[in-house]
Amino acid sequence: MEKLGIPSVPLATKSFADLAKSNASKRGMPHIRACFTPHPVWGKTAEQLMAYVEGDDPVSGRPLMKEIIDGLTVPLSADDTKTGMMEVNVGPPVYGPDTLDGLQRHFLDNGMTDFLPVIIPTPEKVEAMLKGTSHHPDEVIGKMAAGAYAAWSYNVRQVAVNAVMAGCEPEYFPVVLAVASSGMAALGSSTTSFAYSMVINGPIRDKLNMNYTIGAMGPFAQPNAAIGRAWTLLGKNLGNGGIPGDTYMGSQGNNTNYNNIVIAENEKDSPWTPYHVQKGFKPEENVVSLFAGEDIRQGHGARRAGVLENPMFDDQISDIFRTLTSQFDALVICDPLTIKRLVEQGYDTKEKLQQWLWKNTTRTAKDYRDSAFVYTFHYPRALRGEEPYKTWYSCPEDTQIPYWPKPDNIVLVCAGGQTNPFFQVGNLTYRTSVSVDKWM
Amino acid sequence: MGIPSAPIVTKAFKDLAILNAAKRGMPHERICFTQHPVWGKTPDELHAYIEGQDPVSNKPFMKEVVDALTVPLSDDEKKSGMVTVSVGPPTFTDTAENLQDFYLNNGYTDFLPVILPTEEKVDAMLKGTTHHPDEVVGKMAAGAYPPWSYTVRQVAASAVMAGCRPEYFPILLAIASTGIASLFSSTNSFAFSMIVNGPIRDKLEFNYGIGSLGPFAQANATIGRAWTLMSKNLGNGGIPGDTYLGSVGNNLNYNNVVIAENEEASPWDPFHVQRGFKKEDNVVSLFRGLGVVPGQVARGSSANENVQFDYQLSDLFSTFTGFFGALVIADPLVAVRLKEQGYETKEKLIDWLYKNTTQTVKDYKSRNYAYLFDYPRALRGDEPWASWYKMPDDAVIPHFPHASDFNIVVTGGQTNAYPQAANMSYGVSASIDKWM
Amino acid sequence: MDRRKLLSLLGMSPALLAGARTQAQQHDKPSKNGKSASPAEAHFTALNPKGAPPPVKLIPMAPRLDSIHGKTIYLVDTGFMSGGVLLQQMQIWFQKNDPDTTVVFRKKAGPYMEDDPALWKEIKEKGNAAIMAIGH
Amino acid sequence: MNRRKLLSLLGMSPVVMAAESALAAQSEKKPVAPVTTHPALARLATGPAKITTVNPKGTPPAIQLIPMAPRLDSLDGKTVYLVDTGFHGSDMLLQQIQEWFKANMPGVTTVFKRKAGPYAQDDPALWKEIKEKGNAVIMAVGH
């Protein structure tokens, strides 16, 4: 707006005071005249909000409306009209020499970790990591931002430093590079506390000894643990994410952000097509597919379990879908035993089950519209005329509508150790698949 | 008991069954194996299992069963006495790099880098408490195994490894003293959580503001992680196929869900005060269950400006198991709004949620966990399950058996009025001050 | 946090903020924790794990109005919960306190992080100033 | 994995398995590097310094060996209890076993019982009944 020559005043609530300032700076207007109301606005009555309008700006302590009018009318200072480029400094290329303890503390105190011990990225260790790829250390491989900020760029060496810190072995490096090349950060800057997940396919799962059997998603194998953790460190150090109040705004946070949800698909015990093959890769290719969304939840609470000797997993999965948001998709993780049972029920392909689940998981338009997420994310798209949201907002309240626009919004993968036919459901959306082989 | 017995186990549990019998003192128990799985098979298929071979011994299955009951015992099988289990030497010496690998390869870690527990570092950790290093703190087991015991010093080693500072140590001792492991040997993939209350939250700079459940503070990160390392090292948990059997696993097991309550921004009594502690007491309360889900996805979150968090939470609970409780994790904005709606206390909200979160008996009986966990209790006559199983299909019953299955904690940075909720049950609260 | 501290945390040079010429700033040396009695006392060098932030292009702010009297001000709702109600209260405030000012309320189309070029065009053509509610 | 290897993983001495006298077993595991280097010397050396770290493991309890119950000469004319611990499908499996006995060893009396209470808990009433009326037990603990 300012670029268009129209004086403007952004109005935010007090909780966003730091964010609004640092954000404006990153966009090149360090002196923007932001005004603030008390927090929150949501859930307040019109009378309460009028009191906000007639009251003081809680940041400046001056009457809010005076702040706003001054913001639009007080002449600009020299700083306000400055143009040019401003460099952002991230410190020297190396730290030390210092003791390992001293360096451990330095990395921790400077926000370069997830607050857990790291392997100190000495030149030797980074060199060893770089041997895990044929790519040149100086090759610039991508850009990452933790939200709607200017993205930071990085090269192979900078990715290696973070891979060392997370505890990766050099053989894992191509997977980490593939993730980094996607430019997707595992820490978003929304007030929602997002979760992130990756599905790994191909022979590399066995080469790296990834765990896809008992405890597949838990702390039971180094590649699963370290690769997942590296993604978060990439988000912090390469994408400048994860600074609470600045580039991280999730009100309550998400425990899965430590290591992200790493799923090596159990291709061996699954009668279904592996996920990367569904995405058009060959079975022998190594691929990492990235997801973002809300959380992952277990299927135990589902109704229609069929109780005795006849478990109906299609019904159960559909029942769990009822408390997911349509803003994100569904990533269903099935133990091989669950899949065997589903195949016996007639779902001999993932596509058949996707189709059934999509058709049979519906709700009324009234329930659909009665959701905070739908209001924030879908309603504006409906206003813009986007389908199917426009129809979903204009149809009668009692119309049954699906949870997602297409069967493809439901993703099925296999992981687990066959100790019990369980399943879990992530409210997560597929973003992209990246070849790992390209980064070998 | 003096009665010969033949346990039948499916092939998937072979290693587990043998190890388990050994831990109970019968290293030679005669276990017969069938194909896996049994669940979902037809009578004809099961008949074929029985007529077929034991997939482990490759001998006819029923011959194995009959032999197990009738072939005379060998000398080994008659043996009694005590066997000691060794965990290796008290210290290891090598380069830092080799030791990092050694700890990882020997299952002492969560497969992520640790601070190596040198004697100097362990001694520094021990300065975090007045308790004697040799004092036995408690016993822990990852399931129905004989528990291992541990001293203050042994707890300190895991605390160092996780990256804790000495001032965090009393919290770890409090957790260790409960004997609850954060890795459990069920085929379910359980999750664990802790609530920290009292002035120690500020003293240790716990994060209970923006991103409180995420990787944004050393105290939250390392204390949560230390619980899992203690469960592995002190409780012998987390060995897949032996003491860990969760089929699919749980990402929350890395650091557990550490919740420092935002007591300052909450309009309600803090959790430890609800449990009978004083406000100035420092307390850690432990939970176990399935996981954490976000609340803003549920219905009742309202497309207009009149958000109804009570309905929203209740809707969210409809896919929870009633076997575990419901832990509401409310951002202070949510709590303040609920208070404005008339829930002056946590207890009032719990009362509403308990009464208004219901299901039909038909739906209840169709739930997986009901058959697995509740039906056997009903058989034994335990209430309310015994009554629920006798009611007509269309009777409406509470989703959770008791109002005490609900708990509420307030945490978060007030950037948005979002609640989260965990399908988790309260276990126990332990005083941290006792371990200072 | 004051603006200067906040910006220096971002790595933005205080020199620049004081109006001096842009220059790269040297980062503080790591604290030497010399006390350690650990045998791992040898000193090591470690690489900086940070990526390369792009330089930030400074954008001059638009010239301010002499007064808002008689001008047209757009109140833009970016779509967060209740932002619209807040701006409607503000519209009422203007009607009461400064009736000569024309106040136009608009809800931005599209998700909150996406632009609405049609609206920006309209404001450019018909408006003199804008107030945007980006809060919650 | 064979039984011996499995048990040695547990830290149980192979000596015990080989039927010698039950005595406290020393671990077979070698420490990674038995040589202790004085830290001061290590620092002078060109290679990386060696350090000493403590073993983080807790103390496992000693295991009381339980002699197995004497076996029967034959199942003929005996009463065998089939105990279902409540996992999905195990009741059906035991019913199939019951039919197998009827068809192949009709001299055996079989009694099918579902254990009451959650799977991890004992059912003392049932144990008492078996002790009084049964001669042998087949327990399905699988899945």
Side-chain angles (χ1 to χ4, degrees), chain D residues 4 8 16 26 40-41 55 59 62 78 104-106 136:
Chain D
R4 167 156 318 200
S8 83
V16 183
Q26 272 304 340
L41 289 177
N55 185 332
T59 310
K78 302 282 170 29
N104 298 284
M105 296 179 74

Side-chain angles (χ1 to χ4, degrees), chain A residues 39 105 251 255 260 300 335, chain B residues 165 188 247 251 256 331 414:
Chain A
H39 189 72
R105 176 126 306 268
S251 202
N255 187 277
N260 302 299
H300 294 57
D335 186 85
Chain B
R165 296 173 180 240
N188 299 278
S247 199
N251 178 278
N256 302 299
D331 187 86
Q414 309 184 58

Side-chain angles (χ1 to χ4, degrees), chain C residues 1 6 21-22 78 89 95 105 121 123 125 130:
Chain C
M1 228 184 276
L6 201 62
R21 160 185 124 65
T22 305
T78 56
Q89 295 309 307
Q95 278 157 14
F105 173 79
K121 188 154 170 276
I123 297 175
E125 281 166 14

Side-chain angles (χ1 to χ4, degrees), chain B residues 192-389:
Chain B
F192 294 78
S193 178
M194 66 173 90
I195 296 176
V196 180
N197 283 107
I200 201 166
R201 292 168 305 117
D202 288 320
K203 206 182 114 202
L204 305 187
E205 299 181 326
F206 269 96
N207 177 21
Y208 47 78
I210 293 175
S212 59
L213 305 184
F216 304 113
Q218 191 183 4
N220 305 51
T222 61
I223 291 170
R225 183 192 190 196
W227 193 9
T228 287
L229 295 184
M230 292 194 291
S231 307
K232 288 200 172 189
N233 292 324
L234 308 180
N236 196 33
I239 305 169
D242 175 8
T243 58
Y244 187 85
L245 294 169
S247 199
V248 187
N250 198 314
N251 178 278
L252 304 178
N253 292 151
Y254 281 102
N255 291 78
N256 302 299
V257 185
V258 175
I259 306 168
E261 188 158 23
N262 193 340
E263 298 176 16
E264 291 68 19
S266 167
W268 293 323
D269 274 345
F271 187 76
H272 67 311
V273 173
Q274 290 184 286
R275 293 281 157 189
F277 291 87
K278 295 201 203 81
K279 202 167 179 340
E280 62 273 22
D281 289 340
N282 296 303
V283 179
V284 58
S285 305
L286 305 182
F287 286 74
R288 184 178 79 165
L290 293 176
V292 180
V293 298
Q296 74 265 37
V297 304
R299 283 174 304 178
S301 46
S302 181
N304 50 51
E305 275 67 32
N306 184 26
V307 60
Q308 307 270 315
F309 290 118
D310 44 3
Y311 284 97
Q312 191 180 336
L313 287 164
S314 182
D315 184 49
L316 191 65
F317 295 155
S318 66
T319 50
F320 276 21
T321 71
F323 180 72
F324 288 111
L327 171 64
V328 176
I329 306 166
D331 187 86
L333 294 179
V334 173
V336 167
R337 168 86 183 152
L338 282 161
K339 184 159 185 173
E340 285 171 5
Q341 283 180 273
Y343 300 107
E344 290 135 35
T345 61
K346 286 179 175 175
E347 288 72 17
K348 270 201 172 167
L349 177 60
I350 286 171
D351 184 60
W352 187 92
L353 289 171
Y354 172 62
K355 289 186 179 139
N356 289 280
T357 310
T358 57
Q359 58 190 340
T360 63
V361 166
K362 179 165 186 276
D363 277 353
Y364 168 67
K365 287 186 184 167
S366 81
R367 293 179 194 275
N368 190 347
Y369 73 89
Y371 177 74
L372 217 57
F373 300 126
D374 293 351
Y375 182 50
R377 299 198 280 207
L379 283 180
R380 196 166 63 179
D382 291 0
E383 289 297 347
W385 305 286
S387 302
W388 287 0
Y389 264 89

Side-chain angles (χ1 to χ4, degrees), chain A residues 203-221:
Chain A
I204 199 164
R205 293 166 306 115
D206 289 319
K207 207 182 113 203
L208 304 186
N209 289 317
M210 294 198 82
N211 179 23
Y212 46 75
T213 65
I214 293 178
M217 294 195 282
F220 303 113

